[in-house]
Amino acid sequence: MPDVSRADLLLPAEPTQRAIARELYSLVADRPLISPHGHVDPGVLADDAPFPDPARLLVVPDHYLTRMLFSQGVPPAELGVPSVDGSPVEADGRQIWRRFARHWHLFRGTPSRLWLELTFRDVFGVHTALSPATADRVYDEIADRLAEPAFRPRALFERFNIEVLATTESPLDDLDRHAKLAADGWGGPGGRVITTFRPDNVVDMEFDGWRTNVERLAEVAGEDTGTYPGFLAALRQRRAAFVAAGATSSDHGHPTARTLALTDREAADLYERGLRGTADAADAEAFRAHMLLQFARMSVEDGLVLQLHPGAVRNHNRRLHARHGRDVGGDVAQATEYVHALAPLLDAFGNDPRLRLVLYTLDEYTFTRELAPLAGGYTAVYLGAPWWFLDSPEVLRRFREAVTETAGFYNTAGFVDDTRAFCSIPVRHEVARRIDAGYLARLVAEGRLPLDDAAETVVDLAYHLPKRVFRLDRAGGDA
Amino acid sequence: MPDVSRADLLLPAEPTQRAIARELYSLVADRPLISPHGHVDPGVLADDAPFPDPARLLVVPDHYLTRMLFSQGVPPAELGVPSVDGSPVEADGRQIWRRFARHWHLFRGTPSRLWLELTFRDVFGVHTALSPATADRVYDEIADRLAEPAFRPRALFERFNIEVLATTESPLDDLDRHAKLAADGWGGPGGRVITTFRPDNVVDMEFDGWRTNVERLAEVAGEDTGTYPGFLAALRQRRAAFVAAGATSSDHGHPTARTLALTDREAADLYERGLRGTADAADAEAFRAHMLLQFARMSVEDGLVLQLHPGAVRNHNRRLHARHGRDVGGDVAQATEYVHALAPLLDAFGNDPRLRLVLYTLDEYTFTRELAPLAGGYTAVYLGAPWWFLDSPEVLRRFREAVTETAGFYNTAGFVDDTRAFCSIPVRHEVARRIDAGYLARLVAEGRLPLDDAAETVVDLAYHLPKRVFRLDRAGGDA
Amino acid sequence: MPDVSRADLLLPAEPTQRAIARELYSLVADRPLISPHGHVDPGVLADDAPFPDPARLLVVPDHYLTRMLFSQGVPPAELGVPSVDGSPVEADGRQIWRRFARHWHLFRGTPSRLWLELTFRDVFGVHTALSPATADRVYDEIADRLAEPAFRPRALFERFNIEVLATTESPLDDLDRHAKLAADGWGGPGGRVITTFRPDNVVDMEFDGWRTNVERLAEVAGEDTGTYPGFLAALRQRRAAFVAAGATSSDHGHPTARTLALTDREAADLYERGLRGTADAADAEAFRAHMLLQFARMSVEDGLVLQLHPGAVRNHNRRLHARHGRDVGGDVAQATEYVHALAPLLDAFGNDPRLRLVLYTLDEYTFTRELAPLAGGYTAVYLGAPWWFLDSPEVLRRFREAVTETAGFYNTAGFVDDTRAFCSIPVRHEVARRIDAGYLARLVAEGRLPLDDAAETVVDLAYHLPKRVFRLDRAGGDA
């Protein structure tokens, strides 16, 4: 572990700023966690079953870890990552863990190391520093904890002080896990665990199995998706079901931020070409762009906050995709244009107070040029936290340094942890809170913000803003 | 106000650097202000009438303020921003001020807050911190000052220690305000208030009313603008008139940095298509690009420094533009390419010592890649200060950190305040001088620059460089 | 010289971090220099003749210096830069030196100043600060040293503690200088001076004299380059000769990072169009892109590490190029896209452990968006050090701050000095080592990395990583 006191982790080293930052951080250290966007399996909390072994819990599903080891020559199969064709992969958790520990040095300076170290220490009470030599000891200590009732998901949820956690489901999901949670008093509108409407797999014609998905959408929604109006009706039906299950937002992962205002006739033509299998890449892009604008329209009607995550190039590493499928580390990022791409949507709804459009990016080289001016110039636009590769101490800091001067703090939407890894939720929020405290401390130390304003702001960023922007303050939760 | 001594505002918090920065800043704190580019109405100084009420002086015309409030749902009409169709807007200055004060927290961390706080304090002697509760008190204190003779424009000009202030006029302007200033001993070549030649409204076919403007140009210049040669002659005539009124530079706000060397015949064809109303967007862009190169040619002849401000997407927020017109906060920025765009102009005049081309940007992601190599590689090119959304402490610092290593200090043109808000001129210069002092202090503290060189440099950046680059050292002014 | 102790040069000013950085730097200060990429003339070491006068050694060939002076109006001819047409240029070294010294202030804040100051002091023992007044004294002191045997190239090589130095040669080079070095026990595989295979002048149809070069390639390789297969065979032959002369890498300077998988037939067609003189710019780009993929294939076979340097716009300053030719300061940079451009190459070989692809950039605005995700996601990809305009303290620091969080340290390839200026090699490595020490010190001070890990890492970055990535650990050299 670091040679710095736990209390000062990530705070500026310079003593004046550190002292201010420590004071600011103390105001948010114990605030409940608002987690309006993430990828925890709702079954984990619905079933409340014990977690599997440490490797399966912490290594195998974490593409940050497996891609780094892959980049240095360790095949994902040796880390237990399931293969597409069912060919055997490492099944022994301890072996996976040892391999991982052998390459622990690769993670120096990365958020992955920080997240894991603090998870070991704060969640599992393991104070042994991970190394090739200590791999077994750390594994055993974590495994022991996982067997205890206090380490079941719901117990951890309480200990983590999570006020609300949003998972992410596709419109094809019947939301039965969320129904179970609601029945147990954990879910539903205003509940502790809610869902998020993520329609990419029925909207993106280039998604694997899109046509099958559209057929399944018909079944789950009870609408005829053989026509474009029926498709829209099915989406509306599923949004209503998601709202009933507690959703306050939708989430859209597109290659670009492009939006487009097609006529119904044009949209129907595209949709039909898609169903016939004659749509090309430009058609798929146009349909995605058109649907974003439709989802903005639906958001104006039903109040779901619209989250847009553009800029990922999915499955860029084709061999990795072929062997191990999606979401195992084969994605990279690309340059993303917002100003012209979003113009059609913003012309239609950008000044509508009923719309909340939360923009994320994998391209930090849009912070001052595009994102901050848009957020500071349209009523509907909020900036989401730096995402994925950018969810890191350095970028969280650069984000504030870049966008605050034009968009202020109150056109940002607070932190989203975006995590699949349930146990890392607390540390991810802690990192964001500490970085914000450090940034605000610099403003105070340079005379740019009075301490009392900084104190109010740090709490707003950590707690009130995400709650307000994601419309989580409508039901339940103390403030 | 900040919890830091006024003397240390914006200086690095680390004590060694702060001490050096304080020493460096003391060398420029009292230097006269050189303001070679801005948008103060020359009538303000020609007439020397008292300023209006605090809201009309400080809030209504400041698009930084009205756009931020608009982004959080406050309609510009409620802030007194005039409407295009004449529909009523808030007329009560005190009500506007109260609304503004109610949203003061939105400006935390922004330059707008810094500029206003220091304007309140240093210009108006108001030490009450603005808040919803103190809105009326601050309003009354400022209003009282504004009624005093010492707060008339010319008195403030003297108190601000402005050595020279350039306003910006279109070729259609008859420069009567500048004639009045000259008659009063305030204007003319080498005077305290001079003009700048800004021809966008007669060069950009996409400008509202372009054809009408070209007709008016004929009248004011006494040339036949019905032909391209006549159009060029009219521009030359107006440039001569601007030079006679003291102008030392022209200013060009284009969507892109594109330049183009058309033949006279090609240019005439474009121009005629424009007059006939058959020019398309590509024609308009080509004509702008061609005219930039023509203006460089004219600059070589008449010595006007050529300032290029590319990258703004005007009126992106179309509803705002429709209701309230230009320059009320509806503009955003876009990616800007310089290297290929400027090649035609640089091929023609880039190494000509008679040309000074000052490049600005709204796209900081060109600093090291494009701007610094161009400025460090062509005789004619100078880098202007970070502009508009980028005129902020963080970006001023990043600008120096990015461009100095390739372009040095002496291929930059010093600070331009670019302000419409007369009372904010001193604080804008103070911010730039403090940030430069802090940057230089870091170089000194890291052993990268001796203190005596830093001392000379900080004065050059604040005073000598803008004077030299903008050719303000030819007549009048002490050095 | 700076007002800071020599020991603390470039280290963070804040005392806690400075103390840690000093400790970290002490671990690498005396490590041998690994210089796997540069442009020293191998004849310098093969002949071991005394260096010429100070101006010819340090000013005339350094385009960083001559371009800066040119940007402020000093013609290269007055600095002794040879003219293309043979028209006379300044021949008096002392006059050149004086002119240079007169403009020494232009270099404040630049790496050039830092490199030169430390070269004067540490290499030549000159403690007089350069200024217009001291120009002659500094010139004389350096000239005196250059006359001493201890300042011959090989003696300096030993004093500089260079373990291995790679020069760069074209396939047309007969490598006779390297043969001489090998005969003297200085060269050959595993030797102290090795070569690098740089085929741009026979691969890039837009290179001046390409067709002549291809003919000369036939002669030197003993293959018929009149056909595409013969061209490939000639390149393979030359690669084998370079490997025999000690090369462990190839180097490719392309305008873009584009790669392309053409069929043999398509490639042959392009090649033949090139030979007939009917290839256009798109053909030339396609052929370069195709050849990059061929070179990756050859690297898989023969083990040469493939270095790609995209993004330079060569000879942008056309007048400078016309008067003084290539490499005299007329180049600038352009935006560079990697993610889509490299996909064909990465599809073919990106996960092949036999390939090492080292990516450089002149576009720092790809660090987090493109370069770090690619390096952290492909087995073959390593990130090279910031290059050319970006080889500077600020960018070296920003590079680590940007890429480490996604790619870690171990997907970077360590520092390459890329220098033509033999005497500046030590200071260039020192700067990189000091910046890395400072960056690591911040991680330690913020609790993000334990000191012992930082200590191991700083040595890896300075010494072990470049040695390993450039395959210099296969023969000779202590570790």
Side-chain angles (χ1 to χ4, degrees), chain C residues 130-187:
Chain C
L130 185 66
S131 73
T134 63
D136 277 3
R137 178 143 48 109
V138 173
Y139 185 88
D140 290 334
E141 291 188 41
I142 297 173
D144 287 349
R145 294 295 170 288
L146 290 174
E148 300 171 18
F151 289 83
R152 295 268 179 111
R154 289 188 185 178
L156 286 177
F157 190 104
E158 309 250 14
R159 206 178 109 201
F160 291 170
N161 197 17
I162 300 174
E163 186 172 309
V164 57
L165 174 73
T167 67
T168 299
E169 274 74 46
S170 121
L172 306 181
D173 193 291
D174 65 6
L175 301 177
D176 68 325
R177 299 296 77 202
H178 284 277
K180 170 74 159 54
L181 284 159
D184 291 357
W186 275 71

Side-chain angles (χ1 to χ4, degrees), chain B residues 69-113:
Chain B
L69 267 71
F70 179 54
S71 80
Q72 289 283 315
V74 183
E78 294 187 11
L79 297 167
V81 178
S83 60
V84 166
D85 64 2
S87 59
V89 302
E90 178 63 59
D92 181 345
R94 189 176 294 275
Q95 289 303 330
I96 293 168
W97 189 262
R98 285 176 181 165
R99 270 187 203 115
F100 168 64
R102 210 139 58 217
H103 294 86
W104 184 228
H105 67 283
L106 299 180
F107 296 95
R108 289 175 188 162
T110 67
S112 291
R113 175 180 172 133

Side-chain angles (χ1 to χ4, degrees), chain C residues 389-424:
Chain C
F389 299 122
L390 303 186
D391 176 9
S392 66
E394 298 291 335
V395 187
L396 287 163
R397 179 179 51 75
R398 289 202 295 269
F399 174 73
R400 290 291 174 207
E401 289 175 356
V403 308
T404 306
E405 294 181 318
T406 292
F409 292 106
Y410 294 90
N411 285 302
T412 67
F415 182 68
V416 302
D417 56 72
D418 193 32
T419 188
R420 292 167 204 282
F422 179 67
C423 295
S424 78

Side-chain angles (χ1 to χ4, degrees), chain A residues 2-3 18 72 316 334 392, chain C residues 339-340 378 405 411 445 447 451:
Chain A
D3 304 317
R18 179 163 284 184
Q72 289 283 315
H316 189 273
Q334 67 184 345
S392 66
Chain C
V339 167
H340 299 286
Y378 281 95
E405 294 181 318
N411 285 302
L451 184 58

Side-chain angles (χ1 to χ4, degrees), chain C residues 50-327:
Chain C
F51 284 114
D53 71 72
R56 258 177 206 77
L57 174 63
L58 298 171
V59 178
V60 180
D62 187 335
H63 56 66
Y64 287 101
L65 304 185
T66 57
R67 88 190 304 265
M68 179 66 95
L69 268 70
F70 180 54
S71 80
Q72 289 283 316
V74 183
E78 294 186 12
L79 297 166
V81 178
S83 60
V84 165
D85 64 3
S87 60
V89 302
E90 178 63 61
D92 181 345
R94 189 176 295 274
Q95 288 302 331
I96 293 169
W97 189 262
R98 285 176 181 163
R99 268 186 205 117
F100 168 64
R102 209 140 58 217
H103 293 87
W104 183 229
H105 67 285
L106 299 180
F107 296 96
R108 290 175 188 163
T110 68
S112 291
R113 176 181 170 132
L114 196 61
W115 297 336
L116 276 174
E117 280 189 336
L118 294 181
T119 300
F120 294 167
R121 173 173 171 154
D122 296 345
V123 177
F124 297 109
V126 174
H127 289 263
T128 306
L130 185 66
S131 73
T134 63
D136 277 3
R137 178 143 48 109
V138 173
Y139 185 88
D140 290 334
E141 291 188 41
I142 297 173
D144 287 349
R145 294 295 170 288
L146 290 174
E148 300 171 18
F151 289 83
R152 295 268 179 111
R154 289 188 185 178
L156 286 177
F157 190 104
E158 309 250 14
R159 206 178 109 201
F160 291 170
N161 197 17
I162 300 174
E163 186 172 309
V164 57
L165 174 73
T167 67
T168 299
E169 274 74 46
S170 121
L172 306 181
D173 193 291
D174 65 6
L175 301 177
D176 68 325
R177 299 296 77 202
H178 284 277
K180 170 74 159 54
L181 284 159
D184 291 357
W186 275 71
R192 303 165 87 173
V193 184
I194 60 177
T195 183
T196 302
F197 181 77
R198 170 104 181 217
D200 301 354
N201 63 352
V202 296
V203 162
D204 181 358
M205 295 175 182
E206 296 181 315
F207 207 98
D208 286 347
W210 175 70
R211 277 186 291 175
T212 308
N213 291 343
V214 164
E215 284 166 24
R216 288 176 51 209
L217 177 63
E219 291 160 27
V220 68
E223 298 281 350
D224 174 14
T225 61
T227 70
Y228 173 67
F231 174 70
L232 288 186
L235 290 170
R236 282 204 164 83
Q237 195 278 348
R238 294 312 296 148
R239 287 174 73 98
F242 275 65
V243 170
T248 70
S249 72
S250 67
D251 182 27
H252 306 266
H254 285 204
T256 74
R258 196 173 161 212
T259 62
L260 195 58
L262 297 177
T263 63
D264 285 351
R265 187 62 256 148
E266 291 168 330
D269 284 349
L270 279 180
Y271 184 71
E272 286 155 22
R273 278 211 287 286
L275 290 184
R276 283 196 306 270
T278 60
D280 61 16
D283 290 338
E285 172 71 355
F287 192 69
R288 286 189 299 258
H290 169 77
M291 286 307 300
L292 267 188
L293 204 142
Q294 296 311 304
F295 287 126
R297 185 184 315 278
M298 294 181 200
S299 281
V300 166
E301 294 163 5
D302 65 19
L304 289 184
V305 175
L306 195 165
Q307 300 179 77
L308 177 59
H309 286 86
V313 181
R314 303 281 174 182
N315 312 317
H316 190 273
N317 194 319
R318 285 162 43 166
R319 178 174 304 199
L320 201 55
H321 180 235
R323 291 195 182 164
H324 297 282
R326 291 175 68 88
D327 298 329

